[in-house]
């Protein structure tokens, strides 16, 4: 398979993953909203927004793993790839332990900081413990997800992600129908998150059979390299994290928790549109890194130009359609009662 076919396969699989995720969200949101009610739906959004901040704790370390693992694989240097992976696992496992401690503290404090219904505070505590613990596992095992980026097999990564999304959605429907409420939603979300990363772990070892993960391969100098790259990525992405996850917290601090649910519904369309563009950049990144390692500068230049044109062709029609038909979309999606 040549480079163009590989990029097309990866972009297409990313878009399929996006489409299925969007369809599941569109179908599931009104159901969850109807079963939980606007207040508990607001509590769920508040919890996921708070847990979303855990992604900032690695200071861009996972992006550094993507960078150095991709370049090592492109150069055929499996020894360094093993060192990068072993070092990353050790560092992020330690961070996972820290996340567990923070989750316990958050579970005790967060429900008392906001104007939550009294009956929902205990539920919020349990949900934070469940989702926060799953996030710790996700962080610790995330280096294995970098293998899919390094070998440019986004199709396999998307297959795992789609399977977990469909499994999670089915589980959420079942637990809500059985009356398990907010805690049931959190339990299904947490369990499918952990399961998905355990599967990535097993598949990653098959994709890179030359990878040797061991304590002896841990190298502190590699840890500094990964961290040095990661901190710049962190500084660039921190504003996006704040925008995505801080506004629901601001709303909850100043308004009834039901307002968080309304805000999340309003912002949901923008998030879905933004997610449509992301797959292009995700696929072009490892392809560009490979070309840079191999010093194919002319091809790299063409990749940037063609990628920019492709993104522009997607952005213009999608944003025009969304801006014209947003009102009708929301009325069809969730009905007038929540508008």
């Amino acid at each position: 398979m040549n480079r163009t076919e590989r990029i097309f396969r990866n972009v297409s699989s990313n878009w399929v993953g996006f489409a299925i995720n969007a369809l599941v969200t569109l179908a599931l949101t009104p159901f969850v909203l109807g079963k939980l009610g606007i207040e508990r739906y607001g509590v769920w959004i508040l919890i996921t927004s708070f847990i979303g901040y855990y992604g900032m704790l690695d200071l861009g370390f996972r992006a550094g793993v993507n960078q150095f693992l991709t370049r090592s694989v492109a150069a055929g240097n499996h020894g360094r790839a093993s060192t990068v992976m072993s070092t990353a696992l050790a560092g992020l496992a330690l961070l996972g332990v820290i996340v567990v401690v923070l989750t316990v503290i958050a579970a005790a404090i967060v429900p008392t900081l906001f104007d939550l219904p009294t009956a929902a505070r205990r539920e919020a505590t349990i949900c934070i413990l469940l989702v926060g613990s799953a996030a710790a596992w996700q962080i610790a095992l995330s280096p294995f997800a970098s293998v899919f980026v390094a070998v440019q097999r986004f199709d396999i990564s998307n297959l795992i992600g789609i399977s977990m999304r469909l499994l999670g959605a089915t589980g959420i429907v079942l637990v809500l129908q059985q009356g398990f409420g907010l805690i049931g939603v959190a339990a299904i979300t947490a369990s499918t998150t952990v399961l998905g990363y355990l599967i990535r772990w097993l598949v990653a070892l098959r994709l890179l059979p030359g990878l040797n993960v061991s304590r002896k391969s841990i190298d502190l100098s590699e840890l500094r390299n990964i961290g040095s790259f990661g901190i710049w990525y962190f500084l660039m992405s921190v504003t996006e994290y704040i925008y995505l996850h801080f506004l629901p917290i601001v709303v909850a601090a100043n308004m009834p928790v039901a307002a968080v649910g309304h805000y999340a519904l309003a912002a949901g369309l923008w998030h879905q549109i933004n997610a449509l563009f992301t797959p292009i950049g995700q696929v072009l990144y490892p392809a560009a890194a490979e070309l840079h390692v191999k010093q194919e500068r002319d091809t790299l230049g063409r990749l940037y130009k063609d990628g920019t044109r492709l993104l522009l062709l997607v952005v213009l029609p999608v944003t025009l359609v969304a801006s014209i038909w947003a009102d009708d979309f929301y009325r069809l999606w969730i009905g007038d009662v929540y508008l």
Side-chain angles (χ1 to χ4, degrees), residues 142-197:
S142 62
F144 291 108
S146 297
V147 171
F148 297 90
V149 178
V151 299
Q152 300 183 51
R153 291 306 305 265
F154 290 85
D155 52 334
I156 299 177
S157 179
N158 279 304
L159 179 60
I160 297 171
I162 290 168
S163 301
M164 292 302 102
R165 181 60 170 150
L166 293 175
L167 179 64
T170 303
I172 287 172
V173 170
L174 292 176
V175 297
L176 287 178
Q177 286 179 336
Q178 295 299 315
F180 290 103
L182 194 58
I183 294 175
V185 173
I188 293 296
T189 301
S191 58
T192 51
T193 297
V194 175
L195 177 60
Y197 274 83

Side-chain angles (χ1 to χ4, degrees), residues 55 62 93 95 135 137 162 166 170 237 241 278 282 295-296 301 334:
R62 283 175 286 184
L95 179 58
W137 277 100
I162 290 168
L166 293 175
T170 303
S237 62
Y241 265 94
T278 303
Q282 289 175 336
Q295 296 295 306
E296 298 181 25
I334 58 175

